[in-house]
């Protein structure tokens, strides 16, 4: 008895040692020969409901779509396991009983009549295909153990469903269900699952769409087996037996091609977008129909982006009118292309000026000729409008007031805010940009502009638009105050504007929106971007060839499509408009300046303002002047006589506006010339022109003319001077700044007037020569 116990003990010890050695050897081999489980999957793009809307072949030209664990329905799992490997959850990757049974059958029958491959072993064979030999079968078993060591059972089942072949270049149950049944795996019926499960055993002879009758016969045979084993209820079996098989191989959906390709570069196998495919398809149809009406004008392309302002998700993305149109580069992504933005940045500029205390909607800006170091912007119609309010300048998209406002604000402040709104090209070019950027002299994309405009619908907060469901960063960045945002919204929502499209007949059905248009230099790009509480819609129209079209404009070409889209996605929306925020108040102002009224102001209007921020200085457009009884001479306190003078109120008109009135033959009351005998004003304080030199001759190269410098010395009480060339107003500037101009040939009269009315003239002679 002792001997037997010692024997058993010794045997158990040797068995344990052997098991440990085998385990250590397995770990070593596992380390040296890791399982080749690096599977390349087809990139699939899904809409907001999880439906596949685009997909790409793998590098080896296979449709191998990854099935996620939550797409493996209990029905799919139960059917596959029952058919392929009943004991899947009970063996370590190799079913020893099945292997022994198959070995015995194959030996006695002298040929391979029965296999013993588990689901895990089938995965191993798919990952590392080899000829069917006994040696390779041992390797397959080893790989099965490796897989069981690395993954849990559900993950192994997932791998199986991802690599199982379904004939041709179709691999995996997801690829098969989409290509054959146009649905996801978790929506497959029992009959469909069973039909698919028999194909991997005979992928070359059981082809859906070609051998459907044979497939149905095999399917029903297995369904009867399931009935015999009582795997499913009799009702489920009967329904499956009577279900027809009409499937044929279809094509993979190819919607949103531009966005799909853009997101594919991120390298993910499954990309879950926020696209609402029904909205996408409706707008695609609108775009296609609309662009066809533009063909006669030689306008061939458009791009559209729609953002849901509540969720900040991009729900529609169209990169071109037709991805497959080769006549104007349909595969170019117009939504991501860098283009000139035209006037589309002006709302943000004026909002920033409001927040800086520079402007309010009713404040006056002079729309007259200006020149900033050689940069002389013009309005779209090449006309000047004189005094205009800020809201008028924005409504009419006037260029000169915008440039003046940017100069007052400082371009760096605008660039800083645009950088916070993810304007990458502007951020990159910030050191090269000038005042022209507000008129489109910079680069931006429809993606960036639409994202920026959404801040007007979100109380001045910029929230980066999310293209995929993985974009969870909804960080709020304050760009404008709620008050400035409200004022811009009120201005841009007015319908009585010059950029309202001609011949638009559906105004009564248009939901209330705010919008801004833009047209780039050379009429290559037409923009229209609109928003309300629910949506922000951005539109670009033009040609990818950069061909300029005379008829191309944001107002008459892009805005009609904008209105059509809003009518489609937000028809008759009666949702309330943006409410006036607490930090925005209203006040009475003088209509002639937009400033709080003084005692002499008679024309009063209401204006929005920001308390403690907006200008509080009272209107000063009238000044009481002491004049002679005949109103031909004016006096100052230093030269006024003791008696024999009158007092009269005069409107203060800047030299640039005086020049505008004179050129346009607009009558205005001039302040009489100052007392010529006032020595203190005119003898002691007149500007001294230091460049160019009086009575000198200047030679200028005809081929490469260089500008002459204008500089002067002034009294300490002077802050601003006004330059005139040949009695025509040239520009105003800081008293000690340097200015430049290119003179005409011959005698040139240069005048400099300071802000106290003192003036000095010089004469130079200019000759153009070949140097």
């Amino acid at each position: 008895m002792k001997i037997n116990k010692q024997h058993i003990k010794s045997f158990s010890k040797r068995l344990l040692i052997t098991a440990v050695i085998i385990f250590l050897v397995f770990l070593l081999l596992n380390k040296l020969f890791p399982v080749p489980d690096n599977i390349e999957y087809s990139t699939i793009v899904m809409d907001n409901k999880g439906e596949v809307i685009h997909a790409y072949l793998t590098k080896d030209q296979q449709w191998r779509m990854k099935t996620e664990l939550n797409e493996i329905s209990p029905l799919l799992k139960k059917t596959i396991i029952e058919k392929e490997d009943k004991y899947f959850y009970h063996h370590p990757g190799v079913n020893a009983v099945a292997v022994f049974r198959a070995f015995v059958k194959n030996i006695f029958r002298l040929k391979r009549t029965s296999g013993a491959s588990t689901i895990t072993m089938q995965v191993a064979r798919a990952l590392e295909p080899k000829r069917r030999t006994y040696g390779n079968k041992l390797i397959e078993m080893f790989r099965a153990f490796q897989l069981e060591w690395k993954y849990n059972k559900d993950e192994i089942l997932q791998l199986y469903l991802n690599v199982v072949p379904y004939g041709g270049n179709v691999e995996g149950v997801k690829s098969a269900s989409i290509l054959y049944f146009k649905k996801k795996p978790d929506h497959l019926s029992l009959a469909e699952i069973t039909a698919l499960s028999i194909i991997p055993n005979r992928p070359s002879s059981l082809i859906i769409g070609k051998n459907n009758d044979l497939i149905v016969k095999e399917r029903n045979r297995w369904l009867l087996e399931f009935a015999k084993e009582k795997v499913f209820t009799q009702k489920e079996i009967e329904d499956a037996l009577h279900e027809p098989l009409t499937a044929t191989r279809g094509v993979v959906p190819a919607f949103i091609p531009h966005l799909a390709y853009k997101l594919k570069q991120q390298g993910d196998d499954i990309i879950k977008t926020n696209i609402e495919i029904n909205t996408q398809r409706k707008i695609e149809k609108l775009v296609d129909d609309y662009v066809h009406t533009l063909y006669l004008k030689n306008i061939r392309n458009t791009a559209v982006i729609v953002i849901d302002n509540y969720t900040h998700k991009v729900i529609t993305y169209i990169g071109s009118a037709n991805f497959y149109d080769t006549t104007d580069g349909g595969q170019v992504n117009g939504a991501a292309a860098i283009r000139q933005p035209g006037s589309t940045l002006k709302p943000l500029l004026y909002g920033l000026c409001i927040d800086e205390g520079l402007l309010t909607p009713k404040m006056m800006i002079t729309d007259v000729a200006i020149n900033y170091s050689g940069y002389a912007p013009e309005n779209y119609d090449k006309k000047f409008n004189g005094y205009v309010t800020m809201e008028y300048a924005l409504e009419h998209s006037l260029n000169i007031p915008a440039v003046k406002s940017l100069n007052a604000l400082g371009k760096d402040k605008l660039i800083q805010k645009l950088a916070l709104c993810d304007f990458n090209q502007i951020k990159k070019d910030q050191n090269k940009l000038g005042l022209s950027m507000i008129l489109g002299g910079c680069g931006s994309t429809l993606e960036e502009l639409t994202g920026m405009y959404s801040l007007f619908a979100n109380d001045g907060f910029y929230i980066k638009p999310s293209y995929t469901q993985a974009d969870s960063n909804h960080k709020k960045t304050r760009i404008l105050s709620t008050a400035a945002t409200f004022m811009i919204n009120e201005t841009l929502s007015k319908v009585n504007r010059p950029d309202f499209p001609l011949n638009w007949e559906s105004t009564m059905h248009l939901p209330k929106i705010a919008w801004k248009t833009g047209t780039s230099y050379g009429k290559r790009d037409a923009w229209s971007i609109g928003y309300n509480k629910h949506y922000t819609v951005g539109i670009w129209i033009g040609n990818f060839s950069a061909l300029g079209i005379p008829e191309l404009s944001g107002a008459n070409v892009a805005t009609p499509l904008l209105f059509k889209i809003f009518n489609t996605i937000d028809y008759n929306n009666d949702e309330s408009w943006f409410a006036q925020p607490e930090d925005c108040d209203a006040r009475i102002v003088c209509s002639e300046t937009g400033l709080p009224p003084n005692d002499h102001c008679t024309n009063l209007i209401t204006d929005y303002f920001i308390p403690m921020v907006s200008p509080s200085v009272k209107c000063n457009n009238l000044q009481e002047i002491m004049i002679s009884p005949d109103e031909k001479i004016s006096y100052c306190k230093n030269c006024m006589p003791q008696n024999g003078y009158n007092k009269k109120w005069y409107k203060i008109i800047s030299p640039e506006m005086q020049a505008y009135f004179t050129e346009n033959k607009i009558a205005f009351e001039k302040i009489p010339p100052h007392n010529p005998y006032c020595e203190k004003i005119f003898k002691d304080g007149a500007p001294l022109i230091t460049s160019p030199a009086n009575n000198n001759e200047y030679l200028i190269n005809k081929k490469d003319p260089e500008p002459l410098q204008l500089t002067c010395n002034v009294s300490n009480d002077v802050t601003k001077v006004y330059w005139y060339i040949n009695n025509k107003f040239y520009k105003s500037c800081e008293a000690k700044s340097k200015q430049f101009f290119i003179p005409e040939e011959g005698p040139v009269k240069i005048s400099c007037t300071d802000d106290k009315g003192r003036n000095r003239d010089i004469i130079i002679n200019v000759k153009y020569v070949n140097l």
Side-chain angles (χ1 to χ4, degrees):
M1 201 68 178
K2 284 184 179 180
I3 297 174
N4 288 339
K5 286 183 179 181
Q6 287 179 354
H7 212 57
I8 292 171
K9 187 176 181 181
S10 176
F11 177 76
S12 299
K13 186 176 181 182
R14 286 197 299 272
L15 188 63
L16 178 61
I17 293 172
T18 302
V20 170
I21 292 172
I22 292 173
F23 179 67
L24 293 175
V25 169
F26 169 76
L27 292 180
L28 178 62
L29 292 175
N30 186 54
K31 186 75 173 176
L32 294 175
F33 306 101
V35 62
D37 56 354
N38 186 20
I39 304 170
E40 181 198 358
Y41 291 107
S42 297
T43 299
I44 58 174
V45 182
M46 307 170 79
D47 68 2
N48 65 325
K49 294 181 179 179
E51 297 296 328
V52 175
I53 55 176
H54 204 101
Y56 293 89
L57 289 164
T58 60
K59 291 178 182 177
D60 57 353
Q61 300 301 298
Q62 299 293 310
W63 287 117
R64 191 183 300 117
M65 303 179 192
K66 186 175 183 179
T67 305
E68 296 183 280
L69 285 170
N70 60 5
E71 292 179 307
I72 304 174
S73 65
L75 179 63
L76 176 60
K77 180 190 292 188
K78 186 176 181 180
T79 306
I80 293 299
I81 290 176
E82 182 63 28
K83 180 181 178 299
E84 295 295 329
D85 189 357
K86 292 181 181 179
Y87 304 102
F88 174 67
Y89 284 98
H90 305 287
H91 60 66
V94 176
N95 188 334
V97 175
V99 169
F100 179 75
R101 184 178 64 246
F103 178 76
V104 171
K105 284 184 179 181
N106 294 340
I107 288 294
F108 282 99
R109 298 186 185 182
L110 301 178
K111 61 178 180 178
R112 184 162 52 86
T113 60
S114 175
S117 293
T118 60
I119 285 177
T120 314
M121 291 171 67
Q122 292 182 59
V123 173
R125 184 163 61 247
L127 293 176
E128 196 175 30
K130 294 179 181 292
R131 284 194 326 116
R132 293 199 175 190
T133 65
Y134 288 110
N136 288 338
K137 181 62 79 171
L138 291 174
I139 295 174
E140 189 179 298
M141 292 179 182
F142 169 70
R143 293 299 192 194
F145 288 130
Q146 286 183 296
L147 288 168
E148 294 279 346
W149 180 255
K150 186 173 183 178
Y151 299 102
N152 63 40
K153 287 291 186 179
D154 286 341
E155 290 171 336
I156 292 172
L157 180 61
Q158 180 188 17
L159 280 173
Y160 171 79
L161 293 174
N162 284 332
V163 298
V164 62
Y166 286 98
N169 66 340
V170 182
E171 291 186 13
V173 70
K174 188 166 187 172
S175 302
S177 61
I178 289 173
L179 280 164
Y180 296 131
F181 297 107
K182 298 179 177 59
K183 61 179 71 174
K184 294 192 299 181
D186 53 344
H187 289 105
L188 292 173
S189 67
L190 174 58
E192 291 166 340
I193 294 171
T194 308
L196 285 178
S197 71
I198 64 175
I199 293 175
N201 297 323
R202 297 163 57 186
S204 59
S205 60
L206 296 177
I207 301 173
I208 291 184
K210 186 178 179 182
N211 309 111
N212 283 10
D213 291 340
L214 184 57
I215 294 172
V216 168
K217 183 179 178 181
E218 286 293 309
R219 179 199 73 182
N220 292 347
R221 185 174 68 83
W222 274 101
L223 287 171
L224 293 173
E225 285 289 328
F226 294 155
K228 191 183 299 182
E229 296 290 332
K230 298 189 181 329
V231 178
F232 302 103
T233 66
Q234 190 61 35
K235 178 68 168 58
E236 290 172 326
I237 295 295
E238 287 178 3
D239 289 344
L241 286 169
H242 290 94
E243 184 175 317
L245 179 62
T246 59
T248 58
R249 175 160 176 170
V251 295
V252 174
F255 302 118
I256 60 164
H258 297 93
L259 180 60
Y261 182 79
K262 174 186 172 75
L263 297 176
K264 180 178 182 289
Q265 310 312 307
Q266 298 176 2
D268 296 327
D269 298 324
I270 299 175
I271 301 169
K272 299 178 180 179
T273 72
N274 296 314
I275 294 295
E276 294 179 3
I277 196 60
N278 289 335
T279 304
Q280 173 83 21
R281 298 297 305 278
K282 288 178 183 177
I283 296 179
E284 284 178 351
K285 182 66 168 61
L286 275 179
V287 167
D288 184 61
D289 292 343
Y290 185 73
V291 169
H292 275 84
T293 67
L294 302 178
Y295 278 1
L296 291 177
K297 297 178 183 178
N298 206 19
I299 302 170
R300 308 195 67 87
N301 252 307
T302 185
V304 179
I305 289 178
V306 179
I307 298 173
D308 186 321
N309 293 327
Y310 294 130
T311 62
H312 319 296
K313 296 176 179 179
V314 176
I315 63 172
T316 297
Y317 189 104
I318 300 173
S320 71
N322 185 350
F323 183 79
Y324 302 100
D325 181 11
T326 58
T327 57
D328 190 52
Q331 295 186 11
V332 174
N333 186 354
I338 298 173
R339 318 289 296 191
Q340 289 186 354
S343 299
T344 55
L345 299 180
K346 289 176 182 175
L348 178 62
L349 165 67
Y350 286 121
L352 294 173
C353 287
I354 291 171
D355 278 337
E356 286 290 323
L358 299 174
L359 292 171
T360 60
K362 301 294 185 183
M363 275 188 67
M364 287 293 173
I365 309 172
T366 55
D367 179 21
V368 295
I370 54 172
N371 190 302
Y372 293 107
S373 301
Y375 175 54
E378 294 180 327
N379 288 323
Y380 186 80
D381 58 4
K382 300 187 183 301
K383 296 178 181 179
F384 304 111
N385 296 274
Y387 290 117
V388 296
T389 63
M390 184 218 82
E391 65 179 5
Y392 182 95
L394 179 54
E395 288 171 7
H396 290 71
S397 198
L398 300 178
N399 292 339
I400 292 171
V403 173
K404 280 188 169 184
S405 299
L406 180 58
N407 185 60
L409 175 71
K411 69 178 181 66
D412 290 339
K413 289 183 179 179
L414 177 62
I415 291 172
Q416 181 186 20
K417 294 295 185 179
L418 289 171
L420 291 174
C421 294
D422 298 313
F423 279 69
N424 295 322
Q425 190 64 36
I426 287 178
K427 186 176 181 181
K428 180 180 177 182
D429 295 338
Q430 57 183 317
N431 295 327
K432 299 186 290 184
L433 297 175
L435 295 176
S436 65
M437 68 176 292
I438 197 59
L439 307 184
C442 56
S444 61
T445 68
L446 182 63
E447 295 174 346
E448 295 167 347
L449 286 169
T450 310
M452 184 269 284
Y453 268 76
S454 68
L455 72 85
F456 293 108
N458 287 284
D459 295 326
F461 284 106
Y462 171 72
I463 303 167
K464 188 173 183 178
S466 60
Y467 291 90
T468 69
Q469 295 173 27
D471 295 338
S472 57
N473 182 16
H474 294 311
K475 176 186 175 184
K476 288 185 175 182
T477 303
R478 169 67 73 186
I479 303 297
L480 295 176
S481 68
T482 53
T485 303
F486 171 75
M487 294 181 208
I488 297 300
N489 291 346
E490 288 297 287
T491 301
L492 293 183
S493 60
K494 294 179 180 177
V495 176
N496 188 20
R497 287 160 46 180
D499 61 349
F500 194 89
L502 299 174
N503 302 321
W504 176 258
E505 299 176 353
S506 302
T507 309
M508 61 181 294
H509 298 302
L510 180 67
K512 185 173 183 179
I513 65 170
W515 82 96
K516 181 70 183 76
T517 62
T519 307
S520 69
Y521 178 77
K523 297 196 172 183
R524 296 181 176 90
D525 309 278
W527 305 87
S528 189
I529 307 172
Y531 59 91
N532 58 14
K533 279 192 171 183
H534 198 172
Y535 299 107
T536 298
V537 180
I539 293 173
W540 169 88
I541 293 180
N543 293 308
F544 292 141
S545 62
L547 177 68
I549 304 296
E551 297 87 355
L552 189 69
S553 74
N556 292 321
V557 176
T559 301
L561 179 58
L562 177 77
F563 287 0
K564 287 175 182 288
I565 290 174
F566 267 105
N567 266 347
T568 299
I569 64 176
D570 212 23
Y571 185 78
N572 275 349
N573 178 18
D574 58 356
E575 188 174 343
S576 62
W577 191 243
F578 302 100
Q580 182 176 339
E582 292 182 359
D583 62 341
C584 178
D585 208 344
R587 66 182 179 184
I588 301 297
V589 297
C590 175
S591 65
E592 297 183 20
T593 60
L595 293 171
N598 218 320
D599 295 338
H600 56 261
C601 296
T602 56
N603 299 318
L604 305 179
I605 55 175
T606 303
D607 188 22
Y608 292 115
F609 78 110
I610 305 177
M612 307 303 292
V613 174
S614 298
S616 58
V617 60
K618 289 190 174 183
C619 175
N620 57 358
N621 70 322
L622 290 179
Q623 183 178 341
E624 190 177 46
I625 304 293
M626 293 166 286
I627 57 175
S628 62
D630 59 3
E631 298 187 0
K632 292 184 177 179
I633 296 174
S634 62
Y635 303 107
C636 66
K637 291 182 179 180
N638 294 298
C639 66
M640 58 180 283
Q642 290 185 354
N643 50 48
Y645 66 89
N646 296 327
K647 291 182 178 180
K648 184 177 180 179
W649 289 94
Y650 283 91
K651 183 175 289 187
I652 304 303
I653 302 175
S654 64
E656 59 183 10
M657 281 304 299
Q658 291 184 35
Y660 169 77
F661 286 151
T662 302
E663 290 176 6
N664 290 273
K665 298 180 181 180
I666 299 174
F668 66 98
E669 190 173 23
K670 297 181 181 179
I671 298 174
H674 201 79
N675 180 12
Y677 301 107
C678 181
E679 295 184 0
K680 184 172 182 63
I681 294 295
F682 284 93
K683 290 188 179 179
D684 297 342
L688 176 63
I689 299 175
T690 56
S691 175
N694 192 22
N695 295 323
N696 275 16
E697 184 177 81
Y698 289 85
L699 303 179
I700 296 180
N701 188 353
K702 285 185 177 180
K703 295 182 179 179
D704 187 21
E706 291 189 8
L708 296 182
Q709 179 176 280
L710 296 174
T711 56
C712 64
N713 291 332
V714 296
S715 302
N716 290 334
D717 60 346
V718 174
T719 59
K720 201 169 188 178
V721 295
Y722 304 87
W723 292 96
Y724 295 80
I725 309 297
N726 289 330
N727 296 322
K728 290 185 178 180
F729 176 73
Y730 176 58
K731 73 185 313 183
S732 60
C733 61
E734 298 297 323
K736 295 183 180 180
S737 65
K738 296 178 181 179
Q739 306 299 322
F740 298 87
F741 81 109
I742 298 178
E744 297 176 356
E745 191 167 23
V748 178
K749 179 184 177 182
I750 300 174
S751 305
C752 184
T753 302
D754 66 20
D755 53 11
K756 301 295 185 291
R758 298 169 291 200
N759 180 76
R760 190 178 302 273
D761 301 326
I762 65 169
I763 299 291
I764 64 172
N765 193 49
V766 176
K767 285 186 178 180
Y768 278 81
V769 296
N770 292 317
L771 298 177

